Amino acid sequence: KNQVEQSPQSLIILEGKNCTLQCNYTVSPFSNLRWYKQDTGRGPVSLTIMTFSENTKSNGRYTATLDADTKQSSLHITASQLSDSASYICVVRNGATNKLIFGTGTLLAVQP
Amino acid sequence: DVKVTQSSRYLVKRTGEKVFLECVQDMDHENMFWYRQDPGLGLRLIYFSYDVKMKEKGDIPEGYSVSREKKERFSLILESASTNQTSMYLCASSFDSNYGYTFGSGTRLTVV
């Protein structure tokens, strides 16, 4: 079944700390995996897109990893800032249907 | 930067009203999409379009229709609004399937 599951559902960290968000998927065949950041009341904004052959991609303080064998991805945030408070959504494209399968997101709160 | 503009941030409509949600993108993208986002659920695809005058049903098209008369504009129509259509509606566009989607800021629709 084409599914994307994210953990944890929510997370609270202190400003300046690092954190890692997880994404497991069963989508097959795999095409690519995207991480989006969604601020409250706003549309999602793309952070990274990773294909089968890529296992790490960075965008500033955000680093995404992909293990296509275990069908897992993670998003690591370094030296968190208050502005990192948002929902982070993992999205996998099905290579046969071209459909995007969305996870339900991890809600991150960064506290001072 | 690609910009996707949704005409309304917040809308309140009565049950039975016909509702139009407008979306305009400024980067000549072929592909446009309408999603709805509800708490605890991933984004769900309502309709999409790969070209002018072309439309395809997504996963949850019931109660909705769309119009794409011009390449830059993709409208979502609720023929007769119902309370279960209260949701956040997100429009997106993309260059092709290997590129990230650019989302609008969303329209939060409340049907009373």
Side-chain angles (χ1 to χ4, degrees), chain A residues 4-6 9 87-90 102-106, chain B residues 37 40-43:
Chain A
V4 175
E5 296 190 354
Q6 295 186 241
Q9 273 191 320
S87 180
Y88 291 84
I89 303 172
C90 176
F102 289 79
T104 55
T106 292
Chain B
Q37 185 177 32
L41 300 176
L43 273 71

Side-chain angles (χ1 to χ4, degrees), chain B residues 8-20:
Chain B
S8 305
R9 290 290 309 280
Y10 300 96
L11 275 179
V12 179
K13 297 292 182 180
R14 294 194 181 279
T15 301
E17 275 193 80
K18 190 168 186 176
V19 181
F20 293 86

Side-chain angles (χ1 to χ4, degrees), chain A residues 31-32 34 36 38 40-46 49 87 89 93 97-100 102-104, chain B residues 9 35 37 40-43 45 50 58-59 88 90 96-101 103-106:
Chain A
S31 176
N32 58 47
R34 309 148 189 246
Y36 284 87
Q38 186 176 20
T40 301
R42 296 285 181 177
V45 174
S46 181
I49 299 177
S87 180
I89 303 172
R93 178 182 288 280
T97 65
N98 270 335
K99 282 191 173 180
L100 298 186
F102 289 79
T104 55
Chain B
R9 290 290 309 280
Y35 289 89
Q37 185 177 32
L41 300 176
L43 273 71
L45 181 63
Y50 289 154
D59 298 319
M88 168 74 112
L90 291 162
D96 71 19
S97 62
N98 292 318
Y99 282 74
Y101 286 19
F103 285 87
S105 293

